[in-house]
Structures are given as C-alpha cells and as structure tokens.
C-alpha cells in the first residue's frame, strides 16, 4: 500500500485532514528507528499479557469456601495462598501498563513535536502512527477482558479485605504497590492514560493527533476503495478498536470532550461506521463509548448522538 496516502484533505464539517494509514506494512524510516525500537520492546510483550489475562481463572472456589466458613483457619489459609500468586499476576499486568504508558507518552511526544503538525507527523511517520494505534488497540482489548472477567475484581477485593484484617491484627504481609494496584484495577486504563497525557503534552497538539487518527480510521472503514486494500480481515476490527480508543482518549483529554458540537471528531460518522458492522462484533466497542467516556451525558451532547448510543 506504500506510505501514508492522502485520501481527503478536508472534512467539510470538521475541517480535519484524512489519510490512509498502512497498518499492515508500515516500516520505520531512519528518523523513526530510535523511538520505534524503544516502543517495540514494550509491544513485544503485549500479546503475552493479553493471553495471560484471557486465561485468568481466579480463586473463586477457595474464596467462597473461606467466606462460608469464616472460623476455619485452614480454609482461610488456603484461600489466601490461592489469591496471593494471582495478585502477583495482577501486579505484573500493572507493571506492564506503566511501561506502556511511558511508551505512549514517548510516541505522542514525537508525533506532536515541532516543527511539524500532528497531521504532518502521521503522514511522515507511519511506523510510529502504527505503534500508537497498536497501543490503543491493546489498551481497549485489555480493558474489555478485565471488565468481562469478574474473577479479577473478586480476587482483588478479597485480597484487599483480607490484607486489611491482617494489618489490624498485626500480621506481617508482603504487600507492595497496593495503592497503585487499587487504581489500576478500579478504573479503566484509558482514564489513567488520559490523566498522564494531560500533564505531559500540549493539549491542542494531542487532541489534533487523536482527532486525526479517528478520522483516518473512519474514512478507511467507510470507504470501500480503501477498505478493500486490507489484506487481512482482522485489520477491520483493528481499525474499529483504534477509532474507539482515540475517541475515548480524546474525550478524557479535551476540556469539552468528543461529543460536543465543537469536537474535531465526527462522532455521528464514527458511530454509524460501528453500527454498520455485524452487531456481535462491535457491541463491546459501543459499550466502551457508552460507559468509559467522560462527556457523553453532558448537556452539550446532542440528543441524536445520545440516541444513536442507546
């Protein structure tokens, strides 16, 4: 497909640039390689993290037995012994999320730096744009898996309750990073990422980069000519997930969010693209817009957009 191909230079309603991104074949240029290689080290571990999360089974049986027999010390010890290694696995997830946040900050710093605009960066540095999309794709997939596996929250809740009792009774523990873990597993990753991005990057450049990426994905998905260039059908779901990911991030970073009339993201167009897909394949993404965005229920959000997401 070559490099980033400009397919539309202006959006009539939102005055935003559109490009075709080669998500399948993008390779770094010499000027991209330093940051690309740093981020690639992190992304190589992403698939393994998702596999571990997907196979997470939890200690539900041991926890139920301990709760039903609160005076049975052996059952309490058994449940604690089952939960502690699982919390260690959650800590591994958390530590990876920290590495991923650092990689995302570095990428966005590169894609929004002077003298080029974010749009020019996406056009010139397609390999970094692809990595940016891969991080968003991973984050949304991670959040979906976490939110649809109640064992994760149940195990961590039991761990917190038991740890509190042990501290009250002066029982030694090896708890570490508990406060950080609480934050990580109480809030969707996008909320945490948005909080850090707000502090570290120029907001206008950041939101321009996010809105441009959303527009790029929407155009590729709704235009048969461009969609037909994908050689892998999974690229369609990748684009859908990235589009939703940048909308969520934009909504948390921008002061008035993605749903306001002044938003640079064509929300009606993006929602329409989602609804044009097979329902079973996008319900999770529609739910992400419904429940993990910040401004959907604001008074400034049009009734039509709210109705489209009902």
């Amino acid at each position: 497909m070559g490099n980033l191909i400009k397919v539309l230079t202006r959006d009539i309603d939102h005055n935003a640039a559109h490009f075709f991104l080669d998500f399948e074949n993008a390779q770094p240029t010499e000027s991209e390689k330093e940051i690309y290689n740093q981020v690639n080290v992190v992304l190589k571990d992403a698939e393994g993290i998702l596999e571990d999360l997907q196979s997470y089974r939890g200690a539900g049986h041991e926890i139920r037995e301990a709760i039903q027999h609160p005076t049975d010390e052996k059952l309490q010890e058994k449940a604690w012994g089952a939960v502690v290694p699982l919390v260690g696995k959650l800590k591994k997830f958390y530590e990876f999320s920290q590495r991923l946040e650092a990689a995302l900050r570095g990428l966005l710093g590169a894609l929004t730096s002077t003298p080029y605009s974010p749009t020019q960066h996406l056009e010139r540095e397609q390999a970094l744009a692809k990595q940016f999309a891969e991080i968003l794709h991973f984050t949304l997939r991670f959040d979906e898996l976490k939110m649809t596996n109640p064992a994760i929250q149940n195990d961590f809740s039991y761990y917190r309750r038991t740890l509190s009792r042990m501290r009250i009774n002066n029982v030694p523990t090896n708890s570490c990073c508990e406060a950080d873990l609480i934050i990580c597993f109480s809030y969707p990753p996008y909320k945490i990422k948005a909080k850090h991005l707000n502090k570290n990057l120029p907001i206008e450049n950041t939101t321009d980069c996010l809105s441009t990426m959303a527009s790029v994905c929407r155009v590729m998905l709704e235009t048969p000519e461009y969609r037909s260039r994908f050689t892998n059908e999974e690229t369609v779901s990748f684009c859908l997930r990235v589009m939703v990911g940048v909308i969520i991030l934009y909504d948390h970073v921008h002061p008035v969010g993605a749903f306001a009339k002044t938003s640079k993201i064509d929300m009606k167009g993006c929602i329409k693209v989602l609804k044009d897909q097979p329902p079973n394949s996008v319900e999770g993404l529609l739910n992400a817009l419904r429940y993990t965005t910040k401004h959907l229920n604001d008074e400034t959000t049009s009734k039509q957009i709210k109705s489209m997401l009902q």
Side-chain angles (χ1 to χ4, degrees):
M1 291 184 226
N3 292 339
L4 296 174
I5 302 170
K6 186 179 294 186
V7 295
L8 290 172
T9 57
R10 290 282 177 186
D11 178 276
I12 294 174
D13 296 323
H14 297 276
N15 206 32
H18 297 248
F19 302 93
F20 188 94
L21 272 72
D22 189 351
F23 283 140
E24 295 178 335
N25 302 303
Q27 295 297 321
T29 61
E30 282 300 318
S31 63
E32 295 173 87
K33 278 187 177 179
E34 181 178 356
I35 294 176
Y36 180 91
N37 290 337
Q38 292 172 5
V39 175
N40 201 44
V41 170
V42 180
L43 285 174
K44 282 181 178 178
D45 295 332
E47 193 60 37
I49 293 291
L50 290 179
E51 289 174 0
D52 286 347
L53 187 58
Q54 196 159 16
S55 64
Y56 189 98
R57 293 294 175 263
H61 174 72
E62 292 86 351
I63 291 173
R64 283 192 298 273
E65 288 290 304
I67 291 174
Q68 290 170 7
H69 304 88
T71 60
D72 190 323
E73 288 301 320
K74 287 186 177 180
L75 288 177
Q76 306 308 310
E77 291 175 5
K78 185 178 180 181
W80 181 250
V83 166
V84 168
L86 293 172
V87 171
K89 185 175 287 189
L90 298 183
K91 181 173 180 288
K92 175 186 172 184
F93 297 159
Y94 165 76
E95 290 171 343
F96 180 76
S97 76
Q98 294 293 95
R99 293 172 60 206
L100 202 66
E101 283 179 17
L104 181 58
R105 286 196 296 271
L107 269 177
L108 273 179
L111 292 172
T112 60
S113 62
T114 55
Y116 303 114
S117 69
T119 298
Q120 290 171 321
H121 276 296
L122 292 176
E123 190 174 14
R124 294 165 58 93
E125 298 159 356
Q126 60 170 341
L128 297 186
K130 178 185 175 184
Q131 287 185 320
F132 175 43
E134 287 172 343
I135 290 178
L136 295 172
H137 179 270
F138 168 87
T139 303
L140 197 54
R141 183 68 182 132
F142 181 94
D143 199 34
E144 286 177 355
L145 290 172
K146 188 191 82 173
M147 300 301 285
T148 55
N149 189 344
I152 294 174
Q153 193 60 54
N154 291 341
D155 290 351
F156 192 61
S157 295
Y158 178 81
Y159 171 79
R160 290 176 61 191
R161 292 195 305 270
T162 305
L163 192 65
S164 295
R165 288 198 302 270
M166 293 173 73
R167 284 173 173 167
I168 290 172
N169 295 325
N170 294 318
V171 177
T173 68
N174 291 319
S175 171
C176 57
C177 300
E178 183 190 4
D180 293 332
L181 281 168
I182 289 170
I183 294 172
C184 182
F185 289 96
S186 297
Y187 300 97
Y190 272 102
K191 291 185 179 180
I192 299 171
K193 284 179 170 48
K195 180 180 178 182
H196 289 293
L197 293 181
N198 242 337
K199 293 180 178 179
N200 289 280
L201 295 169
I203 188 168
E204 290 185 2
N205 283 6
T206 299
T207 53
D208 282 350
C209 182
L210 297 175
S211 61
T212 301
M213 183 70 85
S215 295
V216 167
C217 292
R218 175 178 59 79
V219 169
M220 288 195 293
L221 290 163
E222 69 185 6
T223 308
E225 178 184 350
Y226 306 123
R227 186 162 171 162
S228 67
R229 297 185 185 186
F230 299 147
T231 60
N232 189 336
E233 185 59 29
E234 290 184 3
T235 306
V236 173
S237 62
F238 179 87
C239 282
L240 289 166
R241 201 176 297 277
V242 172
M243 182 181 73
V244 170
V246 291
I247 290 170
I248 295 170
L249 201 53
Y250 183 102
D251 195 53
H252 282 275
V253 171
H254 196 280
V256 298
F259 300 96
K261 290 182 179 179
T262 56
S263 169
K264 293 182 179 180
I265 296 179
D266 178 3
M267 284 305 306
K268 293 177 185 176
C270 290
I271 295 170
K272 183 180 183 302
V273 166
L274 285 168
K275 294 211 163 186
D276 285 343
Q277 313 305 313
N280 291 341
S281 68
V282 295
E283 189 59 28
L285 297 178
L286 289 169
N287 282 337
L289 291 179
R290 292 175 183 127
Y291 306 122
T292 65
T293 49
K294 183 178 181 181
H295 295 280
L296 174 60
N297 294 315
D298 288 2
E299 292 182 0
T300 54
T301 301
S302 73
K303 291 181 180 179
Q304 184 178 359
I305 290 178
K306 289 181 180 179
S307 176
M308 291 176 76
L309 285 174
Q310 285 181 350

